[in-house]
Amino acid sequence: MELDIGKGNRDKKTNVCFAAASLVVIISGFAAISLPAFGQTANFVAKAQSRSETSITEQLNSTAEQLNATTEHLNSATEQLNSNAELLNSKTDQSALTSEPSDQPVSKLEQSVVKKRRPKVGLALGGGGMRGAAHIGVLEVLEREGIRVDYIAGTSMGSVVGGLYAAGVPICEMEEKFTRGMLMKHFMTAPIGVRLAVAPAFLSLKAVGAHQYDGLYRGNIFRKFLDKSVPREDKNIESFKIPFCAVALNLIDGKPYALSTGNFGRALQASCALPLLRRPVRIGDKLFVDGGVLVNLPTQQVRDMGADIVIAVDIDERIDELPMSEFEKLGSVAHRVICLHLAKVDQESLRQASIVIHPDVNGIRMVSTKRKDATTAVAAGVAAAEKALPEILKLVGPENLTVQGKVIGSPAPEADTTKN
């Protein structure tokens, strides 16, 4: 029996073709079903992503709007705070310079700011020779009442008293220097008559080539006396307990200068170099004489140092009419001319003062060496300061006064009656 191998092969081929065709039909059907579903899924995902992105964008926009609103609110709050700060500063300055009560209520914050702000007090002490002892009486009252002095400017004898006080010399010690005659003794080492008598001898020295500035006294003894009067560590002005300056006039450029550094005695020697009487004092490239020639009451100088309240102590004689016979005395004409000049140059300075204390020193000569005149001048200073005290306390404010830890004006403690 023969086998038909060709027929078998043909059957196989037919089966294979049928299977392949069936597979193609199945795949085609699956593809026809799957592709639309896949497209729908992709579209769904794309739409979801789009919605998510839109939502995020909306959230970001909303957050940005909130931030802008917050920024505007902060800017508004900052402006309000700045406005409040300006108001507080304004009220602080007002309260520092006046003790008058305000009708408007003051908040606790304002009260705390006002309490911290203390007005700076400056003293302007005028020149006038022996009459300068009145400054001691004024300082005695201010210290007794607890009025703290922050700055001192002085001219001529005002620079002497002010400088010693700024260096920490006790008031009683300064008063003793005047009333015992020690200060004026060193200021004028010989009577003016004696100096005038020996003046030709000094002129003869110039004839042989000696270079000396014009004047009867050099002032070196006075300078050494002043340097010895302050503690060793306070020989220079910048080391003083209270900021201080001495006013002197530079002959070279004709301008007044506030000497606030350097040797204490030298600066006062310059500030007290009364023309004709004392020789000019050279400091560096400047040649100084008494500052009272142009600035006898240094109110502007002490204000420039930082003072809010300027207390000026004017020791000029009051310009009253005098009989003609008064000018028959030796030196009376020169004395009158100097007094008229000082009264004139002090007019502008007085306008720059917050308070003016004017002791009655009429009749006391500037170059007097009488101890009685020193005592009289000190008493006049005390009387004038006590008269001006209510006005001073009004400006300074009772809350800024300190006397042994107490506030001026507080009731005195009652006496203990239990002790025998």
Side-chain angles (χ1 to χ4, degrees), residues 94-99 119 121 308-311 354-355 389-400:
Q94 260 188 334
S95 300
L97 298 178
T98 178
S99 60
V121 177
D308 300 309
I309 299 172
V310 175
I311 301 175
S354 307
I355 299 173
L389 194 57
E391 187 178 359
I392 297 173
L393 294 176
K394 182 179 178 181
L395 281 181
V396 175
E399 69 278 5
N400 296 313

Side-chain angles (χ1 to χ4, degrees), residues 138-167:
V138 173
L139 287 169
E140 181 181 325
V141 173
L142 296 181
E143 190 171 279
R144 183 193 73 201
E145 298 297 328
I147 299 171
R148 177 181 171 183
V149 177
D150 299 284
Y151 306 101
I152 301 177
T155 299
S156 195
M157 195 57 73
S159 71
V160 175
V161 177
L164 291 173
Y165 186 75

